[in-house]
Amino acid sequence: MINEAYKKWLEKATADSDLTEELLSINTNQDEINDRFYRNLEFGTAGLRGVIGAGTNRMNIYTVGAASQGLAEYVNSITNAPKIAIAYDSRIKSDLFAKHAASVFAANGVTVYLYPELAPTPMLSFAVRYLKCDAGIVITASHNPSKYNGYKAYGPDGCQLGLEASEYVLSIIEKLDIFADIKSCDFDTAVNEGKIKLIGEDVVNAYLDAVQSRSVADESYNFGDMKVIYTPLHGAGNKPVRAILKRIGINNVVVVPEQELPDGNFPTAPYPNPEIRQAFECALELAKKENPDLLLATDPDSDRVGIAVKYQNEFHLMSGNDVGALLLNYILERKTALGTLPKNPVAVKTIVSTNLVNAIAADYGCELKEVLTGFKFIGEQVLLLEQKGEEDRFIFGFEESYGYLAGSYVRDKDAVIASMLICEMCCYYKAKGMTLIEVLDSLYKKYGYFYSCQKSITCEGQDGMEKMANAMKSLRENPPMEIAGFKTLNVLDYSTSLNLELATQKTSTINLPKSNVLSYVLEDGAGAIVRPSGTEPKIKFYIFSVGDNLNSAISTAKIISDDMEKYLNL
């Protein structure tokens, strides 16, 4: 089957010369052929994501075309005049894939709204809602290395496509002949005929208006005293992040020149991920000359942002948990002071994010909801509030992987609003003579030294998928009774929605969607969570600890992490 598929692609995949060249180059390499054809990239709630190249297990115009045909048939099944919005980032072939998807949608009678240049993922979520579309897609692989690209699909609510809809799309894709059954048309002709419409500046300005309206600054803020170094990491954040900072009065923004322009090869940041220090190296070097208050880095599709803050003459990177806790506290503090905190405010975090925010929310009388990993689950909570006419109660949502949102104007994480709020927050506390490091320490002293960290183990290829599956199976069959000397109190298996109390063997129901996640509640406030990534060939585990001081909490987390890795046996 694999070799038959290879031969078929060699014969028919002629629309992109890069694919033909690649297929010919692996003619005698069975391992390479196997890796490209042993499976199909599976369309799920996260859409598609994979290595760019030839084959059913790769991102190319044929797999993108099949996904688009499936999505087109889905929207045609739910409305008589369907509309779809499209955005793309700076990745290799992102513009090609976006235009090809647009041509497929147009050929299927779907009106397309396409951003004419690269745009952040949150701007796609905004356009879907603003233009009253039935779906949307963004071509991106977020913060993955340059060899990857992806296809994220959204529903009419601006959230990532739900399970039922994604399963419908997948059922269509599985029936398609990838070369014979994909409708398409000439892109330029479709634009001229009005079947593909280019999104204008009015939509961009409406988005920026929505972001700016969530500011919690007032006239007392001295933004002229702020200096920021910003890097878009060769991605889509360059224009909108700079635009929103200018709007609120931060004009002293120095952009890292080597990383300013779009480049899908990411020559200065092989891992364009603001979670890691390497992505900040150019900004940190520039900081020696510019001496800013703050460093900002957004990932290629500008839905995540990382920061570094000057403290004791050195720049320190802050984690997603640090920034999430700081932002929630800042928003609650400012809205309380301004008298704009809604009655019964709601914040949302994922189960793998720091428990420090639980204490902060409780102190302000803010309801804190916990959801599964993935920002779509935070978006769903906003939707549930909107359906009750209570979306204004939502003040903040975040996940530890550097994703934040304040307000209901989009339903995905947004590095543009996060950049604005972080700069505001830095300015606010600077006027009080405090760095963000010092503010975080004050939160620890007030609420407790909560610490959490994450580790990933990469498992690429067919063998890697099997290793991850076996590791999860082994943990389910032989749950650790203790981890690093900490007794296991509860085992939560989100795939069965069961919470098992080990001492009594009693079970209770977890009221969240089913997911391939295992959580271990340990004594002394410690814990561990394990899950395979939904978008990368990795198995991830998250460690939680509480200490008498930050160093003791970090030390405890390190011990638990090392022991947890042994249990995974990868």
Side-chain angles (χ1 to χ4, degrees):
M1 290 290 288
I2 287 176
N3 287 334
E4 287 177 11
Y6 168 71
K7 290 175 182 176
K8 183 176 181 179
W9 274 67
L10 196 57
E11 175 189 352
K12 294 182 177 291
T14 58
D16 184 343
S17 59
D18 289 345
L19 303 184
T20 303
E21 184 178 333
E22 180 182 340
L23 289 166
L24 288 170
S25 73
I26 62 170
N27 186 41
T28 59
N29 191 328
Q30 190 61 48
D31 287 342
E32 291 292 337
I33 293 172
N34 288 346
D35 191 46
R36 285 161 177 77
F37 292 97
Y38 81 90
R39 68 169 188 146
N40 295 334
L41 279 184
E42 186 170 324
F43 188 96
T45 55
L48 301 172
R49 186 172 296 186
V51 174
I52 303 163
T56 58
N57 187 33
R58 292 289 188 269
M59 282 292 297
N60 51 66
I61 60 170
Y62 297 101
T63 51
V64 166
S68 301
Q69 183 66 37
L71 188 58
E73 293 190 26
Y74 165 70
V75 294
N76 272 312
S77 74
I78 60 173
T79 181
N80 293 324
K83 298 187 291 185
I84 288 180
I86 302 177
Y88 60 92
D89 68 3
S90 61
R91 286 184 172 274
I92 296 167
K93 294 187 183 291
S94 277
D95 55 346
L96 173 67
F97 294 163
K99 288 181 177 180
H100 184 60
S103 298
V104 173
F105 294 140
N108 281 275
V110 179
T111 299
V112 178
Y113 294 89
L114 171 69
Y115 277 105
E117 61 180 1
L118 66 165
T121 289
M123 285 177 63
L124 182 279
S125 178
F126 180 83
V128 168
R129 293 169 53 79
Y130 188 79
L131 297 170
K132 296 180 171 55
C133 292
D134 304 288
I137 66 165
V138 57
I139 307 297
T140 180
S142 191
H143 57 287
N144 288 155
S146 61
K147 68 179 181 179
Y148 288 92
N149 212 328
Y151 181 110
K152 291 174 69 175
Y154 290 75
D157 54 4
C159 292
Q160 287 185 44
L161 208 61
L163 181 61
E164 184 177 340
S166 63
E167 286 180 345
Y168 184 100
V169 174
L170 177 60
S171 71
I172 295 169
I173 295 171
E174 289 175 336
K175 298 172 186 175
L176 296 173
D177 181 317
I178 206 166
F179 297 111
D181 296 338
I182 314 303
K183 297 179 183 178
S184 189
C185 63
D186 180 73
F187 177 83
D188 291 332
T189 301
V191 171
N192 291 334
E193 293 177 350
K195 296 176 181 177
I196 298 174
K197 304 175 187 292
L198 300 183
I199 293 174
E201 283 298 310
D202 58 324
V203 178
V204 175
N205 287 327
Y207 164 77
L208 292 172
D209 289 344
V211 172
Q212 189 176 358
S213 71
R214 271 68 184 181
S215 168
V216 289
D218 60 23
E219 63 279 355
S220 68
Y221 282 54
N222 184 13
F223 287 128
D225 193 40
M226 280 284 294
K227 186 174 187 179
V228 178
I229 284 180
Y230 169 58
T231 171
L233 295 176
H234 303 288
N238 188 27
K239 288 186 177 182
V241 169
R242 293 166 74 173
I244 199 62
L245 295 185
K246 185 176 181 179
R247 275 178 170 230
I248 66 170
I250 299 178
N251 295 308
N252 198 353
V253 178
V254 182
V255 181
V256 177
E258 306 97 315
Q259 297 174 330
E260 178 178 5
L261 298 179
D263 189 337
N265 291 298
F266 309 121
T268 63
Y271 294 91
N273 183 351
E275 297 181 54
I276 62 176
R277 187 176 184 84
Q278 188 275 334
F280 276 89
E281 290 300 337
C282 291
L284 289 165
E285 189 62 32
L286 185 60
K288 295 175 183 177
K289 172 187 172 185
E290 297 290 345
N291 192 32
D293 297 291
L294 181 70
L295 306 184
L296 286 175
T298 54
D299 67 345
D301 68 324
S302 197
D303 62 352
R304 302 170 192 249
V305 61
I307 70 170
V309 177
K310 193 171 186 179
Y311 177 66
Q312 296 181 345
N313 295 318
E314 289 186 12
F315 279 92
H316 298 259
L317 271 65
M318 302 192 79
S319 74
N321 280 320
D322 293 341
V323 176
L326 284 166
L327 281 173
L328 177 61
N329 181 76
Y330 168 70
I331 291 168
L332 286 167
E333 180 179 339
R334 290 297 299 146
K335 282 184 172 290
T336 299
L338 294 169
T340 58
L341 188 67
K343 185 178 180 182
N344 302 319
V346 173
V348 189
K349 80 174 185 77
T350 59
I351 59 172
V352 299
S353 301
T354 179
N355 292 325
L356 174 58
V357 298
N358 299 55
I360 294 170
D363 196 25
Y364 282 92
C366 175
E367 180 183 356
L368 183 72
K369 294 179 180 289
E370 296 197 41
V371 296
L372 292 175
T373 306
F375 219 89
K376 62 186 175 187
F377 295 112
I378 296 176
E380 285 177 0
Q381 292 299 316
V382 182
L383 174 63
L384 290 173
L385 289 169
E386 182 183 51
Q387 289 171 343
K388 295 188 292 184
E390 299 176 359
E391 64 268 28
D392 289 343
R393 290 176 59 202
F394 173 73
I395 60 163
F396 186 62
F398 90 101
E399 58 185 3
E400 52 76 40
S401 54
Y402 295 58
Y404 318 98
L405 176 64
S408 60
Y409 63 101
V410 298
R411 301 297 158 83
D412 210 337
K413 51 188 175 286
D414 186 355
V416 181
I417 194 170
S419 295
M420 179 188 78
L421 289 170
I422 288 166
C423 288
E424 276 186 21
M425 177 171 66
C426 185
C427 182
Y428 174 73
Y429 289 115
K430 181 180 180 180
K432 295 178 177 292
M434 299 176 73
T435 69
L436 295 185
I437 299 285
E438 291 166 328
V439 178
L440 181 63
D441 190 55
S442 71
L443 295 179
Y444 284 138
K445 288 176 180 176
K446 183 175 183 179
Y447 298 113
Y449 288 90
F450 294 85
Y451 182 75
S452 50
C453 59
Q454 178 237 312
K455 188 167 185 177
S456 300
I457 301 174
T458 300
C459 305
E460 290 190 326
Q462 186 174 6
D463 289 345
M465 299 289 285
E466 292 175 359
K467 285 180 181 178
M468 288 194 290
N470 289 336
M472 296 300 290
K473 182 173 183 289
S474 176
L475 284 172
R476 285 192 166 92
E477 293 175 348
N478 303 287
M481 304 305 290
E482 58 88 21
I483 301 174
F486 290 87
K487 183 179 179 182
T488 304
L489 304 179
N490 291 69
V491 177
L492 286 74
D493 188 342
Y494 289 85
S495 70
T496 59
S497 299
L498 291 178
N499 177 356
L500 172 64
E501 184 179 356
L502 289 181
T504 64
Q505 290 296 295
K506 291 182 179 178
T507 60
S508 56
T509 301
I510 303 169
N511 294 314
L512 289 174
K514 294 186 187 309
S515 183
N516 189 13
V517 178
L518 288 167
S519 175
Y520 304 98
V521 179
L522 308 178
E523 59 187 347
D524 296 339
I529 296 178
V530 186
R531 71 176 184 92
S533 170
T535 56
E536 302 171 89
K538 294 178 179 180
I539 193 163
K540 298 184 176 184
F541 55 100
Y542 307 80
I543 306 301
F544 304 87
S545 62
V546 186
D548 296 328
N549 54 60
L550 188 57
N551 286 335
S552 71
I554 292 172
S555 177
T556 297
K558 175 70 166 60
I559 296 168
I560 296 172
S561 176
D562 290 345
D563 204 37
M564 195 68 228
E565 190 166 354
K566 294 176 186 176
Y567 280 107
L568 289 172
N569 194 29
L570 289 168

